[in-house]
């Protein structure tokens, strides 16, 4: 009953959070942008130089609180020249962990979601939700402004993976592949086919040619991958992280990933990363 402050891996403290402090104490991840920066600083190499002192940093799974509190707690890697959304705010009475999830089973209270979100009858239907603030922003640049935010995130995640896998060829290092079911997730893609085979997805084949630029992008990919509810917890923050990672990797790719039609922020007062917000 006395727990009301949560300290995140970045050292950021969130006070007076109420009953959800219990949830957030565990569901906050185990790494932050600060950890990535510290590792890069200790390695002491330039952005595109391989260092044996660098290794993949994993935020850990179900880091919902890090997504929710976004730029305030620096769960994702935040590029120094950008501004990020802070805590996502939902409507009153549905703005905390326990107001949206059953406190014991953790199941989403879908029946209560359906009171405002038409067409919602099951958890899967939540993926189709798109709020008014997002109606004119095509985050993944695929031309579909009707798809739910879940699918916008999925599209951007694909672009980020493309950029990550294009980077080694541009930097003269070994091909890389990703497997979300095997630690440490990133492996040397021996046959350079873009996918991890069962043999490749083994700990002994863990990717080892990390540069600061690649590490930043791979960390944000994992942040966007390991919170399955990120589209509801704070989709805008995850969009910003992935957009910025693709943009950073694109600066050194001979054939940059197409981001011409992709949007990072919402227009006007809907832009939570803008000066007004």
């Amino acid at each position: 009953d006395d727990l009301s402050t949560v300290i995140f891996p970045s050292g950021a403290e969130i006070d007076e959070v109420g009953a959800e402090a219990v949830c957030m104490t565990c569901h906050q991840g185990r790494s932050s942008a600060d950890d990535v920066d510290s590792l890069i600083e200790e390695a002491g190499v330039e952005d595109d130089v391989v260092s044996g002192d660098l290794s993949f940093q994993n935020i850990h799974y179900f880091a919902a609180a890090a997504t929710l509190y976004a730029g305030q707690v620096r769960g994702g890697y935040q590029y120094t020249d950008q501004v990020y959304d802070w805590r996502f705010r939902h409507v009153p009475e549905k703005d905390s962990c326990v107001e949206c999830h059953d406190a014991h089973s953790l199941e989403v209270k879908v029946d209560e979601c359906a009171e405002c979100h038409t067409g919602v009858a099951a958890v899967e239907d939540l993926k189709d939700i798109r709020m008014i603030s997002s109606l004119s922003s095509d985050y993944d640049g695929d031309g579909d402004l009707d798809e739910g935010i879940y699918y916008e995130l999925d599209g951007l995640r694909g672009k980020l993976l493309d950029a990550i896998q294009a980077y080694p060829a541009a930097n003269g290092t070994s091909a890389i592949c990703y497997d979300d079911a095997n630690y440490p997730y990133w492996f040397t893609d021996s046959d350079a086919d873009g996918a991890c085979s069962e043999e490749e997805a083994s700990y002994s084949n863990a990717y080892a040619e990390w540069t600061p630029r690649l590490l930043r992008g791979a960390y944000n990919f994992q942040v966007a991958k390991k919170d399955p509810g990120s589209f509801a917890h704070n989709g805008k923050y995850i969009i910003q992280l992935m957009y910025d990672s693709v943009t950073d990797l694109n600066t050194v790719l001979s054939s940059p990933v197409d981001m011409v039609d992709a949007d990072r922020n919402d227009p006007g007062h809907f832009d939570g990363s803008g000066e007004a917000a």
Side-chain angles (χ1 to χ4, degrees), residues 28 30 45 51 69 134-135 143 163-164 178 188 190 204 218 263:
Q28 58 171 264
R30 294 184 176 179
V45 295
S51 172
Y69 279 88
S134 303
L135 293 182
I164 289 171
Y178 178 83
T188 299
S190 305
S204 61
D263 292 318

Side-chain angles (χ1 to χ4, degrees), residues 83-96:
V83 178
Y84 295 86
D85 274 51
W86 277 36
R87 190 198 191 288
F88 174 69
R89 289 292 178 187
H90 203 221
V91 296
E93 309 303 328
K94 290 290 180 289
D95 197 34
S96 72

Side-chain angles (χ1 to χ4, degrees), residues 179-194:
D179 189 308
D180 66 356
N182 290 286
Y183 181 84
Y185 309 105
W186 298 98
F187 303 94
T188 299
D189 187 7
S190 305
D191 57 10
D193 68 347

Side-chain angles (χ1 to χ4, degrees), residues 42 108 126 208 242 252:
E42 290 171 8
V108 179
L126 299 175
M242 290 195 287
V252 294

